[in-house]
Each structure stands twice: as C-alpha cells, then as structure tokens.
Amino acid sequence: MEIEAIPGVGPKTREALTALDDPEGALERGDVATIASAPGLSQGRAVRLVRNAIRHRHDDPGGFLATDRAEAVYKGLLDRLADRTVTEYGRQRVETFYPSAVDARIAETETVATRALERDVDQAVLDALNGLEPLSEPRDVRVRDRCLATTDAETYSKARDAIPEVSVELVEDTRSLADLARGYATVIALDEEFAGIDIDGDVQVQPNALASPVEVVPERVLSFYGANRESIRAAAAVHRVAGLDCELDLEGLLEALDRIDGQGTVTSDEELSRLTTAVSELEQAVSTAESIANDRLTEAISETDVTVDGGDLLSLAERGAGVDSILARELEAEFEVAVQAARDHFQEALVLEPEEIATGERLFPEEPTFPVERNDAVLSRLEEELTTARDRRAGQVKQEVAAELADQREPVTDLVHRALELDIEVAIARFAADFDCVMAEHNGSGFNITGGRSPLLEEPPEAVEPVDYAVNGVSLLSGVNSGGKTTTLDMVASITILAHMGLPVPAESATVPSVEEVHYHAKSRGTLDAGALETTVTDFATLASGSATKLVLVDELESITEPGASAKIIAGIVEALQEADATAVIVSHLAGGIQDACETSVTVDGIRAIGLEDGELRVERSPEKNHLARSTPELIVEKLAGESSEASDEHSFYRQLLSKF
C-alpha cells in the first residue's frame, strides 16, 4: 500500500507516518493506536486515516450514508458497539467499521463477525482484556555511563543515527580516548586501530558495534519491555483464557519480564542486587562497625583498672600526650575482640565475597587505638571495587535479558495486537448476544425482516417488542402517533447499515437490499418556508434521478407545506422512486391522500391500532400489508362513543364524527 495514495495523506501526514517502524502494516491491519502514536496525529485523525486506507484498499468510493439522519443512525450503532468494548483501543477500532456497497469489504468484516458469533465471552476474558493497552515506544531513553568513540567523521554520523541513546565522541588519538575513559564508566571504541591499547578504565574496542546495538545499549530493549510489561502480561493472559493460538513460549516470556521493572531495570539478579546494596549501604555499614568497635572498647576500658608506674608516667609526660602504648599493653585482647566484631558486622551487613572481605579487613587498624577509626583510603578503594563490580554485573545482566527478549519484539507485537483485536470480537459477540443478532442475507432489492428490533431505543433489549416487516419497491407506512412508525424506520435503517458493515443484525432473520446509498430523511419540524421547500423538492429530484441503488426512508414529509399540496408532492416523489427502482418506506399520516394522488399503484402498510386502554395506546407493532391504519383522533372518538349511552345526544354526535373517517 502506497501511503501517498490514501485519501487525506498530504506531505505533513506522510512525514508523520514515516516516523513509525511500519506505517503501511499498521494501516493495513487497522492499528489505530500505532497510527495515533505518530507525531502530531490525534486519535480521531488516526481513525479517519485507517478508514480511508480500508476504502483505498477496496476501491470503495464511500457515500453510503447519504443524509444526516443516516449518519446519526450509524453513529448510534457505533456507540452501542463501543459500549461493549473493554479497552480504549477497542473503542477507537470500532470507529473504523463503516457501511459499504463493496462486497469485498463487507465480506472482510463478516469474517470477523462470524468468528465473534462462535466465541463464548466469559468474565475471565473480560478481566484479562481489562489490563490491556497498545504497546508504546519509550522516546526518552538515555544512557549516560557509556559512550561511543571514533576518529572518523562518517562513522561518527552513522553512530549517532544508529544508537542515539548514548553519546558519540570524536577523538584524535589514544590520549583523548584515555581522557574519555576517565569520564565514562565504559568507552566503546569503534576503530580497529585502538585494538591492543592499554588504557586505564573500561575501554572496549568493538569495530562492529553498530551492527549489534543490543550489546551496546541493551537499555533500548529493556526500556521497551519495561514500559509495556503489564500490557504484555495482559495479552498473555488473554491468549490463555480465550484459547488463542500463540507461537511464543509464554512461560519463558513471562519469566524474562519478571527480571525487569517498569523502567526496564533488571531487578531479579541476586548478585547484582547484592552489589547494588553493598554500594548504597557501604557508608552506613562502616559507620555502624566503627560504633560497635568503640562501644566495645569503651565498655572494656570502663571496666578495667590500669596501673601506670613512674617510668610510664615520665614517658607520657615527656611525649606530652597519648595512651596508645598503655592500650597496646593493657587492652590488646579487648581491642582485637572489638575490631573483629566491627569487621564481622561490616562483612555480614554487606554480604561480602572473599576478595571483598580481604579489602574490608584493612578498613580498621591492626594496632590498638582509641577511638577506632576507618582507613579512608581503603574505604575509597573498596567502594571503587564494589561500584566497578556492580556496573560490570549490571552490564552483563542487561545484555543477557536484552538478548533473550530482543528477537521476540515482532512476535510480542503480534501477541498484543491479536489480544487487542479480540476486544473487537468480544464487542461484536456481546452486541449480538444482547440483541439476539444473526448475520443478514443480501438481496438485489427489497427487505424482509422477521423479529427485528431497533438497537437505538433506550429500553433494555429484552423489553423491545420484535417487528416483522417486508417491503419490495416503495411503500407508504401509516399509523397512529406513538405507534412505532419512526422506530420501524430506525430498525430498517439500523439493520441495513449493520448488514452493509458486515456485522450481525438484531433480528430472527433478515434479508436486506444490496444498495449503494441509504437516504434517511428525519421528521421535519414545522412547515417549511418557500425557500426551504424548494431545497427539499430539489434534494428529492436529485435523489430520484441518480443511478445508484438506494434505500430511501422518509419520516412524515407532509409538514413541508399545506396538507393538500404535501400529498401531491409526496405522490410525485413516490412515482419517481418507483421509476428509479428504489426500495423505500415513506411514513405519512396522508397515506390515503397520497395513494389517491399517485398515478401508479402504491402499497400502503399500516401499524394496526387495537385501541385505547386506560388512556394508553395499544398497537400491533408489526406493520400490516395493504392496511391503512386508523388515526389517533379516530381512536379517541371511537373510545368516547363506546363509553357513552346509546340513547344520548353525545353518542349520536360521536357516531356522526366516526362516519367521517
């Protein structure tokens, strides 16, 4: 698919899409979340681009929804589907479904819908989907403890493009490389000429480093998995509970994810944890060890009687100060015990290894002294050793985990995408279950609906009375106010639109016309002025003269002008629609007058009113063929006549009124 060929893709949009790894693939599979992650693209814009890409792929001209009311019905149906999704991705993805006259597009969605109808949706699936989100790409990964170095300007440019997460430095010679080594924990030299050099610090010569970025900057992989670990876990759970096929070793994947946190930091390596703790708690451990030694000595000194003879006293007086010699002689054993206690605590607190213990042994003096004080030079050396060991181990572990996960990026992306797409199937399955849906059949013209229900009603689906209705050609639909005429039009529009979306329809069975356009004209409000009337008549002239196959639904058009003229205008519209071979239902209280004004035969269907009961209208919701329904005023007069005494003047009046109907 050529991105530039998709309607709505201009230079700016093309540039934004090229920032993605695989924009063509994302558009092909309808991945709204990935498209929306492109710089400067909103969710709404992403939905429109995906929809346009689908139309482009199927050579679909669009225009199926030809009126505002038809568009409103479509939006209402999308809302019903979106309400049954679990993820935000699902809500966005639902909007990429649209009604079409292209068989290939309809069949494409019917494949998804048929699979959804076969799926059992239980709470475990919904719970697993609840933690699912599209994968995100961390864009702020920076590694500051290492750098790349080269003497070549071209290599420098390539390195900056290939591995932007680390600094790249131009160096002139070995001396400038050594200077870098003093500022970075690790320097990776990209030039072969540096092989074999001896420089203090961690300097690695890797001429092929740009070909294996995972080894140079494993944080790239780890940050991706860290940022997406919960969504990947949720996707794995979705696959398990829903029984989806998976090429990945899910157990191995989850074990690898257990080794990192949400920032991509490796957390489960015991040696790295030990070294990290040792470095962070080094100062506290040595301070506590000093205190232990001095507390022991203080206690020993306070409990010991020391006798100083005359010679010692003269010696101390000549030196002017100091009791070290006395301590060495009188408290040597206590000093050794106190210092050993300090060393034991220090080693145990930091869980030191033998080579580290050897350095730690030199932290405290061998000769008796009071107070006992650390050897700062030894402490600094030990801190440097532990820090170097920690960083070296961190690098090793990062590379191990990154190498394990790097090759799984594509299958993991597929894993999450399949789980997200399942949310669409779940929404379709829940919609179909709630409204008792079936897949519709497509016919050349006319519709035949059994047990149909409008999904746009606010009532619970189980409270909606099913309707049977069939029309072939043009029919007038009559009925009392609030008898269900508009709801019947909504039902026909909804079922036709859903069927042309490739989705299940709310009916026991349904055959819909194979049309290219749906024209649904909502009930007009008040009598139109001359200009608006002219526009309305012009619209119907255009509608009737076009070559596209159409479903036309019109709700009470008679208010466009005076009743007598309305009947004549609507009769003309009926005749034009018949000539155009359209499938049409025109709701009107003037059905009888329209029928009389038509020069051709036109069917009048009616929603039969049973009568008024306790002030409530009772009707048979399914339209009756070739039946002109009674009006609400007629029912009221009939009710009054029935309630009045036959001998009364009122009864005679009511009967006279009834005779006028």
Side-chain angles (χ1 to χ4, degrees):
M1 178 185 296
E2 299 224 357
I3 292 179
E4 295 83 355
I6 298 172
V9 176
K12 290 184 179 179
T13 302
R14 183 184 64 242
E15 183 179 354
L17 290 173
T18 54
L20 303 175
D21 289 339
D22 182 21
E24 294 88 352
L27 287 167
E28 185 80 22
R29 63 179 180 266
D31 191 343
V32 175
T34 295
I35 299 300
S37 69
L41 293 187
S42 66
Q43 299 288 355
R45 176 75 173 139
V47 168
R48 290 191 295 275
L49 284 174
V50 169
R51 208 158 43 209
N52 288 347
I54 295 170
R55 284 201 171 103
H56 174 68
R57 188 171 74 244
H58 290 288
D59 196 20
D60 186 346
F64 187 90
L65 302 168
T67 62
D68 291 343
R69 180 56 189 164
E71 186 77 31
V73 169
Y74 164 65
K75 292 293 186 185
L77 295 172
L78 286 187
D79 288 342
R80 299 297 187 272
L81 277 170
D83 288 344
R84 288 162 175 81
T85 60
V86 179
T87 67
E88 181 60 29
Y89 173 90
R91 294 189 67 86
Q92 299 163 10
R93 182 74 168 85
V94 158
E95 295 188 40
T96 67
F97 291 105
Y98 67 91
S100 172
V102 178
D103 291 340
R105 171 55 186 168
I106 297 172
E108 186 176 66
T109 310
E110 283 180 339
T111 300
V112 177
T114 301
R115 191 165 59 239
L117 292 178
E118 296 171 352
R119 185 171 295 284
D120 291 328
V121 179
D122 57 21
Q123 191 59 44
V125 173
L126 300 180
D127 290 343
L129 284 169
N130 196 45
L132 192 62
E133 292 182 358
L135 298 176
S136 61
E137 193 69 50
R139 301 186 183 277
D140 56 351
V141 180
R142 292 294 301 170
V143 180
R144 305 187 186 282
D145 66 345
R146 76 192 73 110
C147 74
L148 301 173
T150 179
T151 60
D152 180 65
E154 184 177 351
T155 303
Y156 170 85
S157 179
K158 290 180 180 178
R160 292 194 65 177
D161 291 338
I163 309 180
E165 295 90 346
V166 302
S167 295
V168 184
E169 306 287 346
L170 272 172
V171 295
E172 297 180 356
D173 50 27
T174 303
R175 176 177 296 179
S176 54
L177 189 64
D179 290 340
L180 279 180
R182 284 190 286 272
Y184 288 94
T186 301
V187 176
I188 300 172
L190 302 176
D191 305 324
E192 188 71 48
E193 65 189 73
F194 289 120
I197 61 171
D198 185 15
I199 296 178
D200 290 340
D202 185 12
V203 178
Q204 304 172 15
V205 181
Q206 299 183 32
N208 297 320
L210 300 186
S212 54
V214 173
E215 295 181 11
V216 176
V217 56
E219 290 86 353
R220 176 186 298 180
V221 175
L222 298 179
S223 62
F224 169 79
Y225 281 96
N228 295 293
R229 64 198 299 267
E230 296 309 318
S231 190
I232 296 171
R233 288 181 181 281
V238 168
H239 278 67
R240 283 172 172 167
V241 298
L244 300 181
D245 293 335
C246 181
E247 62 187 67
L248 283 167
D249 173 13
L250 292 181
E251 289 297 332
L253 174 63
L254 295 177
E255 287 177 6
L257 289 178
D258 284 340
R259 301 183 67 184
I260 58 177
D261 63 15
Q263 286 69 49
T265 303
V266 178
T267 59
S268 64
D269 184 77
E270 292 185 4
E271 176 62 5
L272 178 58
S273 297
R274 183 189 71 82
L275 290 168
T276 300
T277 300
V279 171
S280 64
E281 297 183 2
L282 181 60
E283 176 61 35
Q284 179 62 43
V286 74
S287 295
T288 302
E290 279 182 333
S291 297
I292 289 173
N294 286 317
D295 288 347
R296 289 286 186 92
L297 279 178
T298 298
E299 182 180 356
I301 291 172
S302 64
E303 294 178 357
T304 301
D305 293 328
V306 178
T307 301
V308 181
D309 60 24
D312 289 333
L313 185 59
L314 286 174
S315 177
L316 289 173
E318 289 172 356
R319 294 204 300 266
V323 294
D324 289 354
S325 59
I326 298 176
L327 288 174
R329 186 186 68 201
E330 300 292 337
L331 300 172
E332 182 175 3
E334 287 81 356
F335 177 83
E336 290 180 359
V337 171
V339 169
Q340 189 57 48
R343 290 169 177 165
D344 290 344
H345 169 80
F346 182 74
Q347 294 164 12
E348 291 171 4
L350 300 184
V351 195
L352 298 179
E353 293 294 318
E355 61 273 16
E356 297 158 353
I357 292 175
T359 303
E361 291 283 352
R362 299 193 296 274
L363 268 173
F364 303 106
E366 296 287 342
E367 298 298 325
T369 183
F370 185 80
V372 176
E373 294 181 347
R374 74 188 76 180
N375 185 321
D376 286 331
V378 173
L379 180 61
S380 178
R381 187 160 57 252
L382 179 58
E383 183 177 19
E384 182 179 344
E385 290 177 4
L386 290 172
T387 301
T388 300
R390 179 200 63 190
D391 294 344
R392 185 182 298 113
R393 181 61 185 175
Q396 291 173 350
V397 175
K398 286 178 182 178
Q399 288 182 353
E400 288 174 7
V401 180
E404 184 177 351
L405 292 171
D407 293 339
Q408 300 188 55
R409 175 67 179 266
E410 185 173 341
V412 162
T413 300
D414 291 341
L415 177 87
V416 175
H417 181 70
R418 283 195 302 271
L420 288 167
E421 285 294 301
L422 179 68
D423 193 23
I424 303 303
E425 292 187 27
V426 165
I428 295 171
R430 296 173 79 185
F431 177 86
D434 289 343
F435 292 100
D436 292 327
C437 293
V438 298
M439 298 303 294
E441 296 182 7
H442 293 258
N443 191 22
S445 63
F447 62 82
N448 189 346
I449 299 169
T450 302
R453 292 166 299 280
S454 170
L456 303 180
L457 294 171
E458 295 301 326
E459 289 87 348
E462 61 273 11
V464 177
E465 187 176 338
V467 170
D468 301 337
Y469 194 29
V471 168
N472 191 6
V474 181
S475 289
L476 299 174
L477 180 59
S478 60
V480 297
N481 289 329
S482 303
K485 300 185 298 299
T486 299
T487 299
T488 299
L489 291 188
D490 284 349
M491 176 199 72
V492 174
S494 296
I495 288 177
T496 303
I497 290 171
L498 283 167
H500 281 79
M501 292 170 73
L503 297 174
V505 303
E508 293 176 16
S509 66
T511 300
V512 300
S514 298
V515 295
E516 298 169 90
E517 297 173 1
V518 170
H519 295 257
Y520 187 173
H521 294 268
K523 187 183 302 183
S524 58
R525 301 183 182 277
T527 302
L528 304 180
D529 59 29
L533 173 60
E534 181 179 341
T535 300
T536 301
V537 173
T538 301
D539 288 343
F540 276 95
T542 303
L543 186 160
S545 62
S547 60
T549 55
K550 305 174 183 70
L551 169 67
V552 181
L553 304 171
V554 183
D555 195 1
E556 295 188 16
L557 189 60
E558 53 261 32
S559 62
I560 60 174
T561 187
E562 295 85 356
S566 293
K568 295 174 183 178
I569 292 173
I570 297 172
I573 292 172
V574 167
E575 293 168 357
L577 292 174
Q578 288 175 329
E579 289 180 11
D581 291 328
T583 299
V585 179
I586 299 176
V587 168
S588 178
H589 290 290
L590 306 177
I594 296 168
Q595 191 176 38
D596 293 340
C598 280
E599 296 181 3
T600 59
S601 175
V602 59
T603 301
V604 176
D605 302 328
I607 296 178
R608 180 181 291 277
I610 300 173
L612 292 170
E613 188 174 290
D614 297 327
E616 295 291 332
L617 179 68
R618 294 181 60 223
V619 299
E620 291 287 350
R621 297 292 180 184
S622 296
E624 184 176 334
K625 302 302 293 182
N626 301 307
H627 169 72
L628 180 61
R630 293 188 295 171
S631 65
T632 303
E634 181 182 1
L635 292 173
I636 293 173
V637 174
E638 182 182 66
K639 175 178 179 292
L640 292 172
E643 293 175 349
S644 62
S645 171
E646 293 186 6
S648 67
D649 293 339
E650 290 87 351
H651 183 77
S652 297
F653 174 73
Y654 297 145
R655 299 306 302 176
Q656 184 180 0
L657 285 181
L658 280 174
S659 68
K660 303 296 183 182
F661 288 97

